[in-house]
């Protein structure tokens, strides 16, 4: 076994290396999965081990996980086969491994081999020397890089050594397996005075202090021997070991003992301020009362009164074998012990007894006795009231002895708790009726009583107890501590104790010689310490959480003999409390983070609890590299502990995960915590421990980072920004396109509207044109009428001319000159009608005659008339009538006109005139 500087324990085991930090066991197998026979922890934190054909060491890797490094490759080739390594010794930077045939020395770089002349039996360190045992040479020591014989070392030749232990400045005790204990002093070897019984086979030995050794034996468990007084103390199966075959022993940093058994490991809280004493040969005897009287320790049990001799009242160490049954008390329940007038009185199931040494003399019988109450505070006390199962009795002290005065007359009842007030009245409590105030008659042969119940101020008629504390009668009730007020005849909360206990339910009170109040209440067992230096402040309350569930229910009893020896009744014997050590020895509490795992489909350890070669504690580990984990690693398991083994069950823890928890957790005894579904970010897990006196350890922390998933990385965010920008661009483009489409649609709509408007305008124009055309038609019609009129005039001219012609022809006959003159006037009128006709004709035919005249000035008026009539599509006959010429004359005129305008014969006048 071994222990590192942080308190973690290590054990060589069949399956590999075991570690224990107070809460968690971990196994580290060797590569070849063989047994580890030996181990030793170096100052730099490396754990050197020796197994079957294997040597090496365990040390933490980069993640703080213990890993094994083999040293076999450093061994010279011819020495690599060596079977088992039985012992390891370390001196500075030199590590010695002992096999049967050779010893290996490792200096950190290379290995040197020391073969045996016969067989190496043992190697160990004692003080500043390394000692080894050779079968033929005996005891040797390592000096100047070689093994030199010790003076008189030959005396130990062939003797198997279990341990070499330095004691004092110049003495070394050599513990053999079967030949006893030897003393090496001033170069000589002799047999020590403290030799074990011959039947014990010793496997290992360890030093407890300068006066005590502990031996691991194959059949007697562990034996502690005081080398000065030669007193032996046994720790075996009867005292709690799993079995009596102890293979190894080890004293840890707190001076407590570990023993490796052939099938288990036992922890002996040897340095604890609390020890458990078994009383008598029978098991599980409860202790109802305790007293130290005339150098003997007396314990009242359910099987009678037991006693054990006490040699030192300040350092009481007794074992179960030291107790013996006091004569005349056997097979009777012994309830109470009281020292009166230099006598020890016992109240048991059969009455009252006076104890002398190991024998009891009965004082009274007939009824079991609960309690002895002296009727005076001045010693010697003459009258003692005995509370019995069935009333009160009186003992009279005369002639240096007690005499039974018989039963006191009164109402019989069971009086287990009694106290005497300053008025001489006796207060007694009943478990379910209330509280009695008993008044004795003048001759003390009769008594009367008054029963007080809940109507008198008690919280309840049940579970009331009466005690006398600091010369005051105190009533422990279900609602706290009460006092009786004589003026009001009522009960009220205690003035000076309620501030300490409040309304807690108290079951037991007693006062020690220093004025401290020992108590049992619903919260536990403790003591109220009143400091003389601090009278104004609140008294200090100390609880003993180790005693939780250990005391006798409803039969609690505490016997504070002195500060070093406080005896408390237990269900399994007696509890011995060294209050002085308990309060003065304050072990510094630490906390360590043992493991950090990523949990999931497969667990992965990312931190193994070690930093810089040692188990990391609050003072270390803050400078480690912060791991960055993938986003899928979002579930974690934390294990933590405090390697303080004395009061491990009373340590509580509080934790906080910064980045997730808003505050520290409540204090709890659990040593594991799980977190799941953590988001990305930086986290720091912090944990601290607290002992039973509410002393807190420094905070241990572990920081880690969960990286963002790919969709939360910077590149992803940049991608998102790019995509978003693209989307914005596309959306803008789309909106712009939509706007363009809407504009186009709007323009098309506008075009449609314009077109419709245009159509409407065209329609309107057409309507206007139609109206204009209708108007023009009307005008044309009018013009046509005028042309018609003109044509009529022309025809009339023609007729007139015809008539002129006829008249002229007849003139010759009649010589009617006046008629001819009138006809000429009419013809002039007709010429005037031609001018009107030509003007109307040009208006209807786009200024045809003027254009024709401009283009062909050679045309005469007669030609223009013929052209006009041709334009009007008049026939030759009609033209001849209008022109009053013959048809032949019209054709001649047409011919002349064709010549004048150069119109070919194949082209018609209509086609030509339509082009003008």
């Amino acid at each position: 076994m071994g222990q590192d500087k942080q308190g973690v324990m290590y054990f060589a085991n069949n399956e590999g290396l075991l570690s224990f930090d107070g809460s968690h066991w971990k196994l580290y197998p060797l590569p070849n999965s063989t047994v580890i026979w030996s181990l030793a922890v170096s100052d730099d934190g490396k754990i050197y081990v020796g197994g079957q054909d294997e040597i090496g060491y365990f040390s933490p890797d980069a993640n703080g996980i213990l890993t094994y490094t083999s040293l076999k490759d450093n061994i010279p080739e011819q020495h690599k086969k060596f079977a088992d390594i039985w012992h390891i010794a370390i001196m500075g930077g030199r590590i010695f491994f002992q096999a049967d045939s050779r010893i290996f020395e490792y200096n950190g770089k290379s290995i040197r081999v020391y073969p045996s002349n016969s067989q190496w039996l043992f190697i160990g360190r004692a003080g500043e020397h390394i000692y080894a045992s050779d079968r033929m040479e005996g005891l040797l020591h390592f000096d100047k890089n070689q093994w030199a014989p010790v003076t008189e070392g030959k005396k130990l030749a062939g003797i198997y050594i279990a341990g070499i232990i330095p004691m004092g400045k110049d003495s070394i005790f050599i513990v053999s397996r079967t030949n006893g204990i030897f003393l090496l002093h001033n170069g000589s070897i002799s047999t020590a005075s403290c030799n074990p019984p011959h039947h014990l086979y010793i496997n290992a030995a360890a030093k407890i202090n300068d006066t005590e050794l502990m031996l691991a034996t194959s059949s007697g468990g562990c034996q502690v021997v005081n080398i000065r007084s030669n007193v032996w103390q046994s720790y075996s199966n009867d005292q709690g070991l799993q079995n009596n075959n102890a293979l190894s022993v080890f004293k840890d940093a707190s001076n407590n003992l570990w023993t490796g058994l052939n099938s288990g490991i036992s922890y002996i809280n040897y340095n604890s301020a609390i020890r458990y004493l078994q009383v008598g040969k029978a098991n599980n005897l409860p202790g109802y009362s305790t007293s130290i009287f005339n150098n003997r320790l007396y314990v009242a049990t359910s099987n009678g009164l037991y006693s054990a001799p006490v040699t030192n009242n300040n350092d009481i160490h007794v074992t179960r074998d030291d107790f013996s049954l006091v004569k005349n008390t056997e097979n009777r329940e012994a309830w109470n012990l009281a020292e009166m007038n230099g006598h020890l009185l016992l109240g048991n199931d059969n009455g009252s007894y006076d104890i002398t040494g190991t024998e009891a003399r009965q004082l009274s019988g007939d009824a079991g006795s609960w309690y002895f109450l002296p009727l005076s505070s001045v010693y010697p006390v003459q009258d003692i009231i005995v509370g019995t199962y069935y009333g009160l009795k009186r003992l009279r002290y005369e002639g240096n002895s007690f005499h039974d005065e018989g039963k006191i007359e009164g109402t019989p009842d069971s009086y287990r708790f009694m106290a005497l007030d300053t008025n001489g009245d006796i207060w007694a409590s009943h478990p379910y009726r209330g509280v009695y105030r008993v008044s004795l008659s003048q001759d003390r042969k009769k008594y009367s009583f008054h029963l007080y119940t809940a109507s008198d101020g008690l919280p309840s008629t049940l579970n009331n107890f009466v005690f006398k504390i600091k010369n005051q009668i105190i009533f422990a009730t279900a609602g706290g501590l009460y006092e009786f007020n004589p003026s009001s005849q009522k009960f009220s909360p205690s003035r000076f104790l309620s501030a300490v206990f409040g309304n807690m339910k108290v079951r037991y009170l007693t006062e020690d010689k220093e004025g401290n109040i020992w108590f049992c209440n619903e919260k536990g067992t403790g003591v109220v310490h009143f400091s003389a230096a601090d009278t104004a402040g609140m008294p200090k309350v100390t609880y003993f959480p180790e005693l939780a569930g250990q005391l006798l229910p409803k039969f609690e009893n505490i016997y504070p003999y002195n500060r070093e020896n406080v005896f408390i009744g237990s269900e399994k014997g007696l509890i011995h409390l060294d209050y002085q050590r308990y309060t003065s020895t304050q072990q510094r509490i630490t906390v360590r983070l043992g493991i950090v795992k990523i949990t999931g489909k497969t667990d992965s350890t990312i931190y193994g609890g070690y930093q810089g070669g040692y188990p990391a504690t609050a003072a270390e580990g803050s400078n480690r590299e912060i791991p960055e984990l993938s986003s899928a690693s979002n579930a974690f398991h934390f294990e933590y502990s405090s390697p303080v083994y004395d009061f491990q069950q009373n340590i509580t823890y509080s934790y906080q995960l910064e980045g997730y928890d808003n505050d520290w957790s409540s204090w709890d005894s659990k040593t594991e915590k799980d977190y799941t579904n953590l988001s990305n970010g930086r986290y720091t897990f912090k944990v601290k421990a607290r002992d039973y006196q509410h002393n807190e350890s420094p905070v241990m922390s572990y920081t880690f980072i969960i990286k963002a998933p790919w969709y939360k990385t910077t590149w992803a965010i940049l991608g998102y920004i790019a995509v978003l920008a693209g989307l914005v661009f596309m959306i803008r483009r789309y909106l712009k396109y939509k706007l363009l489409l809407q504009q186009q649609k709007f323009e098309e709509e506008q075009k449609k509207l314009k077109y419709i408007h245009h159509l409407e305008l065209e329609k309107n124009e057409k309507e206007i044109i139609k109206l204009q055309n209708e108007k023009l038609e009307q005008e044309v019609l009018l013009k046509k009428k005028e042309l018609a009129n003109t044509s009529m005039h022309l025809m009339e001219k023609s007729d007139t001319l015809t008539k002129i012609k006829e008249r002229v022809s007849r003139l010759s006959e009649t010589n009617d000159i006046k008629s001819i003159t009138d006809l000429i006037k009419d013809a002039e009128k007709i010429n005037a009608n031609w001018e009107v006709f030509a003007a109307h004709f040009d208006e209807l035919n786009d200024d045809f005659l003027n254009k024709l005249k401009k283009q062909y000035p050679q045309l005469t008026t007669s030609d223009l008339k013929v052209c006009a009539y041709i334009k009007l599509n008049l026939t030759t006959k009609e033209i001849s009538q209008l022109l009053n010429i013959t048809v032949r004359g019209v054709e001649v005129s047409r011919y002349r006109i064709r010549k004048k305008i150069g119109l070919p014969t194949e082209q018609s006048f209509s086609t030509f005139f339509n082009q003008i």
Side-chain angles (χ1 to χ4, degrees):
M1 292 178 280
Q3 186 179 31
D4 61 30
K5 292 182 179 180
Q6 302 304 332
V8 178
M9 292 293 300
Y10 302 96
F11 306 88
N13 181 264
N14 286 354
E15 306 299 326
L17 176 69
L18 277 178
S19 72
F20 180 59
D21 59 9
S23 299
H24 306 97
W25 293 90
K26 294 184 178 65
L27 176 66
Y28 304 92
L30 291 179
N32 56 7
S33 299
T34 61
V35 61
I36 294 179
W37 293 116
S38 55
L39 71 80
V41 182
S42 65
D43 291 338
D44 61 0
K46 292 179 180 178
I47 305 155
Y48 289 90
V49 296
Q52 292 179 338
D53 199 41
E54 182 64 56
I55 62 171
Y57 62 88
F58 286 89
S59 61
D61 62 9
N63 292 328
I65 302 171
L66 278 186
T67 56
Y68 180 72
T69 300
S70 177
L71 297 176
K72 282 194 68 176
D73 292 340
N74 299 68
I75 300 174
E77 190 65 32
Q78 66 272 25
H79 296 290
K80 283 189 176 181
K81 293 184 179 180
F82 49 83
D84 300 305
I85 301 294
W86 299 111
H87 301 93
I88 300 175
I90 298 178
M91 174 71 75
R94 309 170 84 171
I95 296 90
F96 296 87
F97 300 86
Q98 178 248 317
D100 288 336
S101 58
R102 67 210 74 183
I103 290 176
F104 301 104
E105 179 196 352
Y106 176 63
N107 60 11
K109 296 180 179 179
S110 60
I111 290 179
R112 184 177 179 183
V113 181
Y114 302 94
S116 171
N117 293 332
S118 54
Q119 179 185 1
W120 292 111
L121 302 179
F122 179 83
I123 191 172
R125 175 179 174 178
E128 297 302 317
H129 296 279
I130 298 292
Y131 291 91
S133 173
D134 182 82
R135 179 183 294 276
M136 299 296 297
E137 301 295 329
L139 188 65
L140 300 92
H141 70 280
F142 193 72
D143 183 36
K144 297 179 182 179
N145 295 326
Q146 64 181 359
W147 293 100
V150 174
T151 305
E152 298 186 0
K154 281 276 189 178
K155 290 183 178 181
L156 300 179
I159 295 177
Y160 284 86
I161 295 177
I164 297 180
I165 301 168
M167 301 294 283
K169 296 181 179 180
D170 55 1
S171 297
I172 295 176
F173 280 77
I174 303 168
V175 181
S176 70
R177 294 184 182 273
T178 58
N179 297 79
I181 301 174
F182 298 90
L183 174 62
L184 173 59
H185 180 70
N186 292 331
S188 64
I189 297 176
S190 60
T191 302
S193 59
C194 53
N195 265 288
H198 293 292
H199 68 278
L200 292 179
Y201 183 90
I202 301 173
N203 290 312
K207 177 182 177 180
I208 299 177
N209 50 52
D210 284 338
T211 60
E212 290 180 311
L213 297 177
M214 189 171 193
L215 311 178
T217 71
S218 59
S219 60
C222 292
Q223 303 289 325
V224 174
V225 56
N226 188 305
I227 60 175
R228 294 179 181 173
S229 62
N230 198 22
V231 174
W232 290 76
Q233 185 176 350
S234 175
Y235 292 91
S236 60
N237 183 259
D238 293 336
Q239 284 77 33
L241 293 186
Q242 293 102 310
N243 59 75
N244 288 336
N245 188 359
L247 303 176
S248 60
V249 288
F250 180 81
K251 186 191 74 169
D252 66 15
S254 300
N255 296 322
N256 293 305
L257 304 175
W258 299 77
T259 177
L261 309 173
N262 69 333
S263 59
I265 297 170
S266 286
Y267 173 71
I268 302 173
N269 202 347
Y270 190 79
N271 195 44
S272 173
I274 297 176
R275 295 187 296 120
Y276 294 85
L277 305 178
Q278 288 185 314
V279 181
K281 300 297 183 182
N283 292 324
N284 302 325
L285 286 180
Y288 291 117
S289 183
T290 308
S291 181
I292 294 178
F293 183 74
N294 289 340
N295 295 324
R296 294 193 74 87
L297 174 64
Y298 292 90
V299 183
T301 74
S302 60
N303 192 49
L305 181 66
Y306 286 81
S307 73
V310 175
T311 57
N312 185 350
N313 289 349
N314 292 326
D315 187 15
I316 298 176
H317 282 281
V318 295
T319 66
R320 186 182 67 174
D321 296 333
D322 296 326
F323 283 97
S324 61
L325 189 63
V326 175
K327 188 177 179 181
N328 299 326
T329 66
E330 56 270 20
N331 301 323
R332 292 285 185 178
E333 289 179 306
W335 300 119
N336 188 30
L337 290 167
E339 186 178 346
M340 300 284 179
N341 298 341
H343 292 256
L344 183 63
L345 301 182
L346 168 69
N348 73 358
D349 190 49
N350 196 38
S352 301
Y353 289 80
D354 186 0
I355 308 300
T356 303
T358 59
E359 187 173 347
R361 180 178 66 88
Q362 188 173 24
L363 299 176
S364 66
D366 300 332
S369 299
W370 288 119
Y371 195 84
F372 298 99
L373 178 66
L375 291 182
S376 172
S377 59
V378 179
Y379 285 81
V381 180
Q382 291 186 338
D383 291 304
I384 296 175
I385 302 300
V386 182
T388 72
Y389 294 176
Y390 308 111
L392 300 177
K393 280 190 171 187
R394 182 165 65 99
L395 294 177
R396 181 77 176 177
Y397 184 73
E398 290 179 344
N400 200 30
S401 63
F402 289 96
H403 305 280
D404 183 17
E405 295 294 322
K407 186 176 181 181
I408 303 175
E409 293 184 14
T411 304
D413 211 331
S414 178
Y415 298 100
R416 182 178 162 205
F417 295 93
M418 297 189 300
L420 183 71
D421 66 14
T422 56
N423 297 324
D425 290 333
I426 299 172
W427 293 88
S429 61
H430 195 278
Y432 55 86
R433 290 178 182 169
V435 174
Y436 291 112
R437 184 168 68 174
V438 178
S439 298
L440 293 173
S441 63
Q442 192 68 26
D443 59 4
R444 298 176 179 175
K445 293 183 179 181
K446 296 180 181 180
Y447 68 90
S448 61
F449 69 86
H450 180 80
L451 179 63
Y452 294 91
T453 62
S455 60
D456 300 299
L458 291 173
S460 172
T461 57
L462 304 176
N463 297 317
N464 295 294
F465 307 94
V466 60
F467 305 97
K468 192 169 186 177
I469 302 296
K470 295 192 177 299
N471 209 33
Q472 298 186 49
I473 306 300
I474 301 297
F475 301 90
T477 73
L481 298 180
Y482 277 67
E483 296 178 14
F484 182 73
N485 190 335
S487 59
S488 64
Q489 294 291 301
K490 295 288 184 180
F491 292 87
S492 60
S494 173
R495 289 169 296 176
F496 78 102
L497 288 180
S498 291
V500 178
F501 293 98
N503 59 356
M504 284 190 293
K505 182 179 179 181
V506 179
R507 301 188 301 269
Y508 181 82
L509 291 170
T510 190
E511 186 177 0
D512 65 18
K513 298 174 183 177
E514 298 178 358
N516 302 317
I517 300 174
W518 296 79
F519 64 87
C520 299
N521 63 14
E522 58 186 353
K523 190 176 179 181
T525 303
V527 60
V528 181
H529 180 71
F530 293 89
S531 174
D534 188 16
T535 56
M538 284 288 293
K540 179 182 177 182
V541 179
T542 301
Y543 279 93
F544 308 103
E546 298 90 343
L547 305 182
Q550 302 294 322
L551 276 65
L552 284 166
K554 298 184 179 181
F555 286 91
E556 296 88 352
N557 65 93
I558 301 175
Y559 177 57
Y561 178 69
N562 54 30
R563 291 180 65 87
E564 291 80 13
N565 298 280
V566 179
F567 297 92
I568 304 168
S570 170
E571 289 184 337
K572 298 180 180 180
L574 204 60
I575 300 172
H576 177 264
L577 169 65
D578 188 337
Y579 182 56
Q580 179 69 28
R581 181 188 295 182
Y582 193 91
T583 54
S584 61
T585 304
Q586 182 59 51
Q587 184 174 353
R588 178 177 175 267
I589 186 171
T590 61
V591 68
R592 68 181 298 265
L593 187 60
I595 197 169
V596 180
K597 282 184 181 179
I598 300 173
T599 59
K601 293 182 179 179
T602 57
D603 293 347
S604 175
T605 301
I606 60 173
Y607 178 63
Y610 293 83
Q611 182 74 15
Y614 298 98
T617 60
E620 304 166 348
S622 58
N623 296 323
R624 71 171 69 91
E625 183 178 351
I626 299 175
E628 295 187 7
L629 310 171
S630 67
S631 59
S633 303
N634 60 1
F636 293 85
H637 174 76
F638 299 92
E639 293 181 3
Y640 42 87
S641 64
S642 179
V644 180
Y645 306 101
D646 298 35
F647 43 87
Q648 185 62 229
Q649 67 274 20
N650 302 117
I651 296 176
T652 54
Y653 303 88
S654 180
Y655 56 83
Q656 180 188 18
L657 182 63
E658 285 187 354
Y660 183 83
D661 295 326
N662 294 325
D663 203 354
W664 286 88
S665 69
S666 58
W667 293 98
D668 192 272
S669 59
K670 293 190 297 184
T671 58
E672 297 179 2
K673 177 59 182 175
D674 291 279
Y675 288 93
T676 58
N677 297 323
L678 295 178
S679 59
N680 62 288
R682 182 188 178 103
Y683 296 92
T684 299
F685 180 79
K686 301 191 297 183
V687 63
K688 56 185 177 180
R690 185 178 71 176
D691 63 15
Y692 57 90
Q693 294 186 9
H694 289 192
N695 298 309
E696 294 185 11
S697 72
V699 175
M700 172 67 185
S701 63
Y702 181 82
T703 301
F704 59 95
I705 296 173
I706 301 178
K707 293 189 291 187
W710 65 267
Y711 51 84
K712 287 186 178 181
T713 60
T714 303
W715 290 108
I717 293 173
L718 292 175
Y720 300 149
I721 294 173
V723 171
L724 181 61
L727 288 174
V728 171
F729 174 77
M730 294 299 293
I731 291 172
R732 289 190 63 185
R733 186 171 181 180
Y734 176 73
L735 292 176
K736 192 173 182 180
Y737 173 72
K738 290 285 289 184
L739 181 61
L740 181 62
L741 289 179
Q742 289 179 352
Q743 288 178 344
Q744 290 178 352
K745 186 175 181 181
F746 177 75
E747 290 176 357
E748 290 178 358
E749 291 292 332
Q750 292 297 318
K751 287 181 180 180
K752 285 184 180 180
L753 291 175
K754 287 182 180 179
Y755 178 71
I756 292 172
H757 180 66
H758 180 69
L759 291 177
E760 289 179 350
L761 289 176
E762 286 184 351
K763 181 178 180 182
N764 292 335
E765 288 178 357
K766 287 181 180 180
E767 291 292 332
I768 293 171
I769 292 171
K770 182 178 179 183
L771 292 175
Q772 289 177 347
N773 290 337
E774 289 178 354
K775 181 179 179 182
L776 290 173
E777 287 178 0
Q778 293 296 328
E779 290 178 352
V780 170
L781 182 61
L782 180 62
K783 296 293 183 180
K784 285 184 179 181
K785 288 181 179 181
E786 290 177 352
L787 286 174
N789 290 331
T790 302
S791 298
M792 290 299 298
H793 286 300
L794 290 174
M795 293 181 69
E796 288 178 357
K797 175 187 175 184
S798 177
D799 290 340
T800 301
L801 291 175
T802 301
K803 287 177 180 181
I804 291 173
K805 184 177 180 180
E806 290 177 355
R807 292 283 181 91
V808 170
S809 64
R810 285 194 304 266
L811 183 61
S812 63
E813 296 177 0
T814 63
N815 297 318
D816 193 356
I817 300 299
K818 184 179 184 302
S819 300
I820 295 172
T821 302
D822 292 334
L823 288 171
I824 293 170
K825 290 179 179 179
D826 290 337
E828 289 175 352
K829 292 180 181 178
I830 292 171
N831 288 333
N833 289 335
W834 164 251
E835 296 296 334
V836 174
F837 174 83
H840 287 300
F841 183 84
D842 277 343
E843 288 181 5
L844 291 173
N845 292 280
D846 195 20
D847 205 19
F848 174 76
L849 293 176
N850 288 329
K851 291 179 179 180
L852 188 63
K853 189 174 182 179
K854 287 181 180 180
Q855 291 183 15
Y856 305 102
Q858 64 271 28
L859 295 176
T860 64
T861 302
S862 298
D863 294 335
L864 293 173
K865 288 181 181 181
V866 172
C867 291
Y869 293 148
I870 293 173
K871 179 70 173 174
L872 290 175
N873 293 323
L874 297 180
T875 63
T876 303
K877 184 178 180 181
E878 290 173 342
I879 295 171
S880 65
Q881 290 178 354
L882 289 172
L883 294 177
N884 198 22
I885 59 175
T886 61
V887 173
R888 179 62 180 169
V890 173
E891 290 177 351
V892 172
S893 295
R894 290 168 64 96
Y895 178 76
R896 285 199 302 270
I897 292 170
R898 188 178 287 272
K899 287 293 188 178
K900 288 180 180 181
I901 62 178
L903 181 67
T905 56
E906 63 270 11
Q907 186 175 2
S908 66
F909 278 106
S910 298
T911 304
F912 176 74
F913 289 158
N914 287 333
Q915 295 175 355
I916 295 175

